Amino acid sequence: MAARVGRYTIRFDTPPAVMGYAAVAGKKEGEGPLADEFDRVQEDTTFGEKTWEKSESRLQNDTLNLALRKANITPNTVDIIFAGDLLNQCIGTSYGLRDFGIPFAGLFGACSTMAESLAMASVFVDNGCANVAAAITSSHFCSAERQYRYPLEYGGQRAPSAQWTVTGSGAAIVGKTGGGPFVREATFGRITDLGIKDAANMGAAMAPAAADTLKHYFDDTGASPDAFDLIVTGDLAQVGSELLRTLMQREGVTLGENYKDCGLLIFDREKQDVHAGGSGCGCAASVLCSHILNGMKNGRYKEVLFIATGALMSPVSVGQGESIPSVAHLLHLSAARA
Amino acid sequence: MAARVGRYTIRFDTPPAVMGYAAVAGKKEGEGPLADEFDRVQEDTTFGEKTWEKSESRLQNDTLNLALRKANITPNTVDIIFAGDLLNQCIGTSYGLRDFGIPFAGLFGACSTMAESLAMASVFVDNGCANVAAAITSSHFCSAERQYRYPLEYGGQRAPSAQWTVTGSGAAIVGKTGGGPFVREATFGRITDLGIKDAANMGAAMAPAAADTLKHYFDDTGASPDAFDLIVTGDLAQVGSELLRTLMQREGVTLGENYKDCGLLIFDREKQDVHAGGSGCGCAASVLCSHILNGMKNGRYKEVLFIATGALMSPVSVGQGESIPSVAHLLHLSAARA
């Protein structure tokens, strides 16, 4: 069973366990600081497929297979999978997962999908709705570029505030038992829109959602930032993470050295041409399912707040002059169950 | 708490209650057989907005407001809303719901979204993760046509097997208490793909998913079709629902007079030019949240199986020669709690 803590937060009486996880990343990500933490780096970013959309499906398929293997289970023991991606109608996911035969609950949370899916998996396991549940998402630089921006061949210039979509995927398998890490609490975010209209500045659009959810979590639980070894956002990157610090400061909450962003962890902005940093569903997912969960297993991190943020716009809504609504979902992960 | 029954089905020990629900439909739907069952029929299908996407957001916004009013609650008492739609990046939902301030879990289940969202809401309420949860989805003929097919002005010819996207939305509010109807069981479906590639024949693409999930439900529970006053699929329409009967017959299950399809209930195919019948997320949603739930409240239906089916393709995947994967989620609804 779970209990509600305050207005927005869910606390699991018996925290569900991450039984296994995997992250696969592309060539550029494999040249970054987390190269050694990924389960696999794919030098050929086509993944052997003829279109970028199929490449993304293959990426997601490979990642789930790896996570299942590491959890030492077969697909037919997974009761439900929560998954989604950024492509129109989430085809990275539906084609990537169709051969597994696992009951499928599709999500659209944009870049918040890793937190959303892992929270869902935890709720279903906690409640007995699933003995084992899985969570996965992905993004691919080339499929995202041509859908959201321009065909690669066009060679469009990027604004300094723009982010670089990560080619990567992360998958986590959740069960009642296992050595952990464990999912202790979850806070689902509200749609937040402060009126940002610049689609080349997603970090700024998403930071208010992260601030809203973080504030709710701290208010609900009474916890303070120094209770965590790591507070990590999904893909706010340089502009958005600085803005988050400012927004939280205004609320009286100081985010210190323990605050990081997956979009800044995955690339070396000094050496890699990624402008403000990484983005995409696969950014938070591949960093969580490598560096962060690895760090929790090897003792580097004991208590982690993982907040993945999603921008809920589309090229159509931007073209119609709309601002960019965002959402952020938070998970409190613990290395130990109690 | 919930228990797993067989391999695929979830049974709630204390079935969550539908506290309130509403359906809003467009002009054409208001000229069909269910006209008197909708809460509102909007003659002006622009809903007063300047673009069709914004019209769909307004439709979803209006429907949720009506459902909240009928449940006699305010948005700030809803702990989480599960929602999605068919538009790229689900913008019907994100813009439609952004002003409510309700924690938001975005779904992408295509036309299965009403069953998926209501199942999720039930799990969250059952587990104590939410005291009150909401489920909503929508579709709009004009936004769907131009995204999936052709601009309306083009006047493209439609195949006889094609379906007519419903302009409609349905919302349901779920809580621990209330007079019902009640959500007794849920079966999440697997992605099913028998190789259909004709995007003008969605019913045929989705029927195998409905058959897979229905068979799982009957196998898991030992129930037979005659235990239900109504077995209703979301939007298989004429071609798909005939195929479902055939597929189930092959499995030894006869679907009788009590089997209906929302895509056939919402339009009068004799009088309305809708080819094979209705489709779209809003088809199953608006029929569930009017005719079906009304019928359960007024004693017409006691036990209902509601199976919403979704085609998980996109214009891009069809253009790349892919077949159409589908999914179907099932709910067993009861007029009485026990």
Side-chain angles (χ1 to χ4, degrees), chain A residues 160-194:
Chain A
S161 60
Q163 296 173 229
W164 187 276
T165 302
V166 163
T167 299
S169 174
I173 317 289
V174 180
K176 288 180 200 302
T177 56
F182 301 91
V183 181
R184 187 173 296 282
E185 295 170 311
T187 307
F188 284 90
R190 309 184 298 177
I191 301 173
T192 305
D193 188 338
L194 295 195

Side-chain angles (χ1 to χ4, degrees), chain B residues 194 215 243-254:
Chain B
L194 295 194
K215 182 172 185 314
L243 183 54
L244 177 63
R245 284 186 190 275
T246 304
L247 292 171
M248 292 305 290
Q249 196 67 60
R250 277 192 209 160
E251 300 288 339
V253 178
T254 303

Side-chain angles (χ1 to χ4, degrees), chain A residues 216-297:
Chain A
H216 287 159
Y217 176 77
F218 289 134
D219 286 351
D220 285 345
T221 61
S224 67
D226 56 13
F228 302 93
D229 310 291
L230 178 67
I231 298 172
V232 59
T233 44
D235 60 341
L236 297 181
Q238 189 63 36
V239 179
S241 61
E242 283 175 14
L243 183 55
L244 177 63
R245 284 185 190 274
T246 305
L247 291 170
M248 292 306 289
Q249 197 66 60
R250 277 194 208 157
E251 300 289 341
V253 178
T254 303
L255 295 177
E257 289 291 309
N258 60 345
Y259 168 57
K260 311 276 186 192
D261 182 76
C262 295
L264 296 174
L265 289 169
I266 197 167
F267 292 125
D268 180 340
R269 290 174 65 239
E270 302 292 316
K271 296 181 187 158
Q272 295 180 289
D273 179 24
V274 294
H275 294 248
S279 69
C281 302
C283 180
S286 66
V287 175
L288 176 72
C289 295
S290 64
H291 175 71
I292 299 173
L293 292 176
N294 289 346
M296 298 190 77
K297 281 185 87 84

Side-chain angles (χ1 to χ4, degrees), chain B residues 176-234:
Chain B
K176 289 180 200 300
T177 56
F182 301 91
V183 181
R184 186 172 295 281
E185 294 169 313
T187 307
F188 284 90
R190 307 184 298 177
I191 300 174
T192 305
D193 188 338
L194 295 194
I196 301 276
K197 292 190 175 189
D198 181 1
N201 195 353
M202 292 293 188
M206 297 191 294
D212 193 62
T213 302
L214 256 179
K215 182 172 185 314
H216 287 159
Y217 176 77
F218 289 135
D219 286 350
D220 285 345
T221 61
S224 67
D226 56 14
F228 302 93
D229 311 292
L230 178 67
I231 298 172
V232 61
T233 44

Side-chain angles (χ1 to χ4, degrees), chain A residues 4 7 51 53 76 79 86 88-89 95 98 101 104 106 116 127 129 189 193 312 317 320 322-323 329, chain B residues 4 7 51 53 76 79 86 88-89 94-95 98 104 106 116 129 189-190 193 317 320 322-323 329:
Chain A
R4 292 190 65 81
R7 168 78 183 92
T51 71
E53 291 74 20
N76 62 11
D79 294 319
L86 277 169
N88 297 345
Q89 289 73 54
Y95 290 91
R98 74 175 153 182
F104 168 71
E116 184 184 1
N127 193 28
C129 289
D193 188 338
L312 303 173
S317 68
Q320 292 180 2
E322 272 287 8
S323 53
H329 304 300
Chain B
R4 292 190 66 82
R7 169 76 182 94
T51 73
E53 290 75 20
N76 61 11
D79 294 318
L86 278 170
N88 297 346
Q89 289 73 54
S94 49
Y95 291 91
R98 73 176 154 182
F104 168 70
E116 184 185 1
C129 289
R190 307 184 298 177
D193 188 338
S317 67
Q320 293 180 1
E322 273 287 8
S323 54
H329 303 302

Side-chain angles (χ1 to χ4, degrees), chain A residues 34-67:
Chain A
L34 304 186
D36 296 339
E37 305 238 34
F38 300 124
D39 292 277
R40 187 186 297 167
V41 171
Q42 183 87 16
E43 292 291 321
D44 170 13
T45 49
T46 70
F47 288 74
E49 301 287 342
K50 286 185 178 172
T51 71
W52 295 123
E53 291 74 20
K54 293 185 186 191
S55 305
E56 184 168 346
S57 291
R58 173 58 51 196
L59 162 63
Q60 209 175 111
N61 188 295
D62 287 352
T63 309
L64 182 58
N65 270 318
L66 274 174

